[in-house]
């Protein structure tokens, strides 16, 4: 590859690093072209799975402000650039790696944190955003119901007490 071509590749990779919400590194050795195509399809349109030379990827990562990729970029590496829900993309990679042992997850960078392979698996085990939001809504609804019962309990108790006193006075008279 000639120098102008390398500079163009570095510029393109740098732009992908900057535009991504998360970046995951995998080793693709042993995967067939149909398997890689299947993985790309499962990852969706907002995610790109590309193979790049490690040296060029290191340079692009540094230019984009990503630190800590040097150790992970060894051997045949593929880079997953995620835009949007990076936890869902991590789940897709994890599930694909379970079915296809040739795909090895090296780690990644998401939400300002560099993850090794173990950290990546923890990230992939998080529940989806929708599930977490629905749980939070349920908790808020339960808290509001408790608060409403508490606010209504005092006046209700007072009314019952006044009623009991009134009945007692009517019986005494």
């Amino acid at each position: 590859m000639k120098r102008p071509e390398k500079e163009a590749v570095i510029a393109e990779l740098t732009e992908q690093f900057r535009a991504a919400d998360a970046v995951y590194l995998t080793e693709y050795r042993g995967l067939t072209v149909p398997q890689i195509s299947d993985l790309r399809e499962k990852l969706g349109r907002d995610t790109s799975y590309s193979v790049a030379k490690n040296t060029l990827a290191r340079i692009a990562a540094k230019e984009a402000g990503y630190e800590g990729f040097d150790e992970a970029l060894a051997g045949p590496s593929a880079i997953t650039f995620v835009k949007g829900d990076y936890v869902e993309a991590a789940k897709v990679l994890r599930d694909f790696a379970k079915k296809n042992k040739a795909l090895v997850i090296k780690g990644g960078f998401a939400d300002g944190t560099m993850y090794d392979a173990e950290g990546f698996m923890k990230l992939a085990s998080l529940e989806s955003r929708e599930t977490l939001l629905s749980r939070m809504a349920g908790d808020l609804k339960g808290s509001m119901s408790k608060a409403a019962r508490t606010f209504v309990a005092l006046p209700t108790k007072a009314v019952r007490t006044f009623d009991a006193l009134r009945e007692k006075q009517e019986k005494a008279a």
Side-chain angles (χ1 to χ4, degrees), residues 24-28 49 76-80 93 103-107:
Y24 303 131
L25 296 173
T26 60
E27 185 176 317
Y28 63 92
Y49 186 79
S77 299
I79 307 169
T80 307
L93 283 171
L103 182 73
V104 177
I105 297 170
K106 295 180 176 185

Side-chain angles (χ1 to χ4, degrees), residues 132-142:
L132 293 174
L133 287 173
S134 65
R135 278 190 180 177
M136 186 176 82
D139 290 344
L140 286 174
K141 181 180 175 189

Side-chain angles (χ1 to χ4, degrees), residues 122-135:
K122 287 180 183 176
L123 180 68
S125 67
L126 289 176
E127 293 185 12
S128 71
R129 182 176 189 269
E130 291 77 21
T131 303
L132 293 174
L133 287 173
S134 65
R135 278 190 180 177

Side-chain angles (χ1 to χ4, degrees), residues 3 13 40-42 47 58 63 66 79 97 110 122 148 153 173:
R3 186 155 180 86
L13 284 172
R40 284 183 174 136
E41 184 178 317
K42 287 179 180 177
T47 303
R58 274 189 206 103
E63 285 183 13
Y66 285 76
I79 307 169
K122 287 180 183 176

Side-chain angles (χ1 to χ4, degrees), residues 6 8 36-37 78-79 100 102-103 109 123 127 142 173:
K6 287 180 183 178
I36 292 175
S37 297
I79 307 169
N100 300 286
L103 182 73
F109 189 88
L123 180 68
E127 293 185 12

Side-chain angles (χ1 to χ4, degrees), residues 8-168:
V9 170
I10 291 171
E12 182 181 335
L13 284 172
T14 303
E15 184 56 38
Q16 286 181 314
F17 272 109
R18 287 185 179 140
D21 293 321
V23 178
Y24 303 131
L25 296 173
T26 60
E27 185 176 317
Y28 63 92
R29 186 183 349 207
L31 290 176
T32 63
V33 173
Q35 287 173 323
I36 292 175
S37 297
D38 183 38
L39 176 59
R40 284 183 174 136
E41 184 178 317
K42 287 179 180 177
L43 285 169
R45 290 181 295 180
D46 293 337
T47 303
S48 68
Y49 186 79
S50 25
V51 176
K53 290 187 174 270
N54 291 341
T55 307
L56 302 180
R58 274 189 206 103
I59 295 169
K62 283 186 182 176
E63 285 183 13
Y66 285 76
E67 298 296 326
F69 271 84
D70 293 344
E71 305 89 38
L73 282 169
S77 299
I79 307 169
T80 307
F81 296 102
V82 183
K83 293 179 185 169
D85 189 2
Y86 55 84
V87 174
E88 191 61 37
K91 288 180 183 191
V92 170
L93 283 171
R94 177 199 62 196
D95 295 343
F96 192 85
K98 283 181 183 177
K99 292 178 185 172
N100 300 286
K101 299 297 180 192
L103 182 73
V104 177
I105 297 170
K106 295 180 176 185
F109 189 88
D111 202 25
T113 306
M114 182 68 186
Y115 295 98
D116 59 359
E118 184 179 323
F120 175 87
M121 289 304 181
K122 287 180 183 176
L123 180 68
S125 67
L126 289 176
E127 293 185 12
S128 71
R129 182 176 189 269
E130 291 77 21
T131 303
L132 293 174
L133 287 173
S134 65
R135 278 190 180 177
M136 186 176 82
D139 290 344
L140 286 174
K141 181 180 175 189
S143 298
M144 286 184 201
S145 297
K146 288 177 187 176
R149 283 193 301 271
T150 303
F151 293 139
V152 171
L154 187 59
T156 304
K157 191 172 184 179
V159 168
R160 286 185 190 148
T161 304
F162 293 139
D163 243 4
L165 281 173
R166 186 181 46 82
E167 285 179 23
K168 187 177 180 182

